[in-house]
Amino acid sequence: MRVLLTGGAGFIGSHTAIALAEHGHSPVVLDDLSNASPAAIERAGRLAGVEIPMVAGDAGDRELVGRVLDEHEIDAVIHFAGLKAVGESVAQPLTYYRVNLGSAIATLEAMAAHGVDRFVFSSSATVYEQPGELLREDAPVGIDLPNPYGRTKAMIEAIVADAAAADPSLRAAVLRYFNPVGAHESGDIGEDPKGVPNNLMPFIAQVAAGERERLRIYGDDYDTADGTGVRDYIHVSDLAEGHVAALEALEPGVLTVNLGTGIGGSVLDVLHAFERAVGHELPSEVVARRPGDAPVSTADPTLARERLGWQATRTLDDAARDAWRWQQRNPRGYRG
Ligand code: WQD
């Protein structure tokens, strides 16, 4: 299928473009490049051995999306476009609602107007009202969440459900990512955070590279095996393959699945995996808990396995090794 990836030059999108091409599909990227580099798609194309067309533009521009759908004879859309910094969303809620909801609505409207009826949405485990262990897709989801970012994801899930109820031809999948980590095994594409990384593994990578003095461990007094927070870290290449599986399993209606490993990893587990990747200890200190952090958040991955025939296969050590290779080869990310 010819697949439009809105926001496709980002971390997950660029890896998904490779997975799509490797499965015989033809990715096309639309990205406003506000938080991504065209180099990611140029390199993804080289890695996949295909030309990946890239249109610079706003997925919130319905007419532009419609033109891209027509010009590239698109069969399906994977919607990544949106702002994703949890902390920033608290400071700039209106921007997050305008951009995230606006781009989803514009894309869905353009699809309806141009006869494209296959849609995969990049959602997040942050939509679960009660984070916890082995979360199932029927766990409570709502807008009573700790931040506007998560609320935009929950609202867009509701928009997709309503759009599918109104249009029986719409085939949609909602993918709830847990914690994406790692990089393509080549080391040529990876996570390229702007400024100080909010997320754990890219921060550790910069400590390992000597760019950050030490890892600050946000609390070691949680009710977990080693006291540090536990998450479900999924290798970005597994995540990318999950998108292909979802695309190929689309049926009328909406299928919502977790994309996680079902295996919990603590902050110390991630730190130690990275130390094994770099071959020496890394400096860290325990500091106060980060407000809003849940003790544990891991996926029950059963539904994805049953409905998509997909499951994650890569380990935390694979992710650490791949993230370190990306960091070493690209100390300034795509700006190098
Ligand atoms: C993981 C663990 C921290 C940094 C994110 C956001 C959002 C989502 C992915 C898309 C926690 C600890 C972290 C550090 C630390 N993306 N930590 N020191 O909090 O699960 O949430 O998930 O939806 O980006 O919701 O990810 O990587 O920020 O934190 O100790 O410098 O690492 O306390 O236990 P999180 P994270």
Side-chain angles (χ1 to χ4, degrees):
M1 283 182 265
R2 289 177 293 276
V3 187
L4 175 63
L5 284 66
T6 66
F11 177 37
I12 315 296
S14 54
H15 288 78
T16 301
I18 294 176
L20 285 165
E22 287 173 343
H23 286 76
H25 299 289
S26 304
V28 174
V29 168
L30 170 64
D31 199 303
D32 67 3
L33 301 175
S34 61
N35 189 23
S37 164
I41 292 304
E42 289 155 14
R43 297 184 190 187
R46 274 205 303 275
L47 289 165
V50 297
E51 175 70 29
I52 301 176
M54 218 210 72
V55 178
D58 176 7
D61 177 342
R62 185 176 53 189
E63 280 64 41
L64 171 63
V65 176
R67 283 199 302 278
V68 174
L69 294 176
D70 281 351
E71 286 165 15
H72 293 274
E73 298 179 285
I74 296 298
D75 302 303
V77 175
I78 304 181
H79 183 63
F80 296 101
L83 302 173
K84 63 169 190 171
V86 168
E88 183 185 60
S89 76
V90 176
Q92 302 175 33
L94 299 181
T95 303
Y96 269 69
Y97 289 118
R98 174 171 49 81
V99 171
N100 289 8
L101 300 187
S103 63
I105 293 166
T107 298
L108 286 164
E109 286 184 322
M111 289 172 61
H114 292 264
V116 178
D117 59 10
R118 285 171 165 79
F119 184 72
V120 177
F121 173 53
S122 161
S123 190
S124 165
T126 49
V127 304
Y128 288 114
E129 286 190 343
Q130 294 300 325
E133 209 161 357
L134 295 175
L135 285 166
R136 288 161 44 98
E137 288 81 356
D138 56 5
V141 166
I143 60 172
D144 182 18
L145 302 171
N147 55 74
Y149 162 77
R151 263 190 282 283
T152 66
K153 291 295 188 181
M155 289 174 179
I156 297 167
E157 288 196 10
I159 289 167
V160 173
D162 289 340
D167 175 1
S169 70
L170 186 59
R171 299 159 179 257
V174 168
L175 307 182
R176 291 178 182 159
Y177 306 168
F178 277 71
N179 288 63
V181 289
H184 188 267
E185 60 187 6
S186 65
D188 289 348
I189 64 170
E191 191 167 8
D192 186 18
K194 281 194 301 193
V196 179
N198 297 311
N199 296 136
L200 180 63
M201 193 173 278
F203 194 97
I204 294 175
Q206 291 190 6
V207 171
E211 289 184 34
R212 308 285 169 200
E213 191 182 337
R214 65 170 59 87
L215 171 66
R216 291 150 48 84
I217 297 172
Y218 296 145
D220 67 351
D221 57 350
Y222 287 105
D223 183 16
T224 61
D226 63 19
T228 64
V230 170
R231 296 291 183 274
D232 188 326
Y233 296 101
I234 176 168
H235 194 294
V236 63
S237 294
D238 278 330
L239 193 63
E241 289 161 12
H243 285 73
V244 179
L247 179 78
E248 295 177 348
L250 285 175
E251 297 170 343
V254 183
L255 172 62
T256 298
V257 292
N258 293 328
L259 291 189
T261 68
I263 300 166
S266 72
V267 176
L268 288 176
D269 290 333
V270 178
L271 179 62
H272 295 156
F274 224 97
E275 289 174 339
R276 288 190 289 275
V278 302
H280 58 78
E281 283 195 16
L282 295 171
S284 65
E285 65 172 325
V286 177
V287 298
R289 292 182 177 189
R290 182 171 64 178
D293 271 359
V296 179
S297 171
T298 61
D300 177 341
T302 305
L303 198 58
R305 187 174 62 246
E306 288 175 350
R307 299 292 299 275
L308 306 185
W310 167 91
Q311 64 183 21
T313 58
R314 296 167 177 88
T315 66
L316 200 49
D317 279 283
D318 294 331
R321 272 195 304 275
D322 294 340
W324 180 230
R325 189 177 306 111
W326 154 254
Q327 174 71 42
Q328 283 182 299
R329 295 187 181 182
N330 303 273
R332 291 171 39 74
Y334 294 109
R335 288 173 296 285

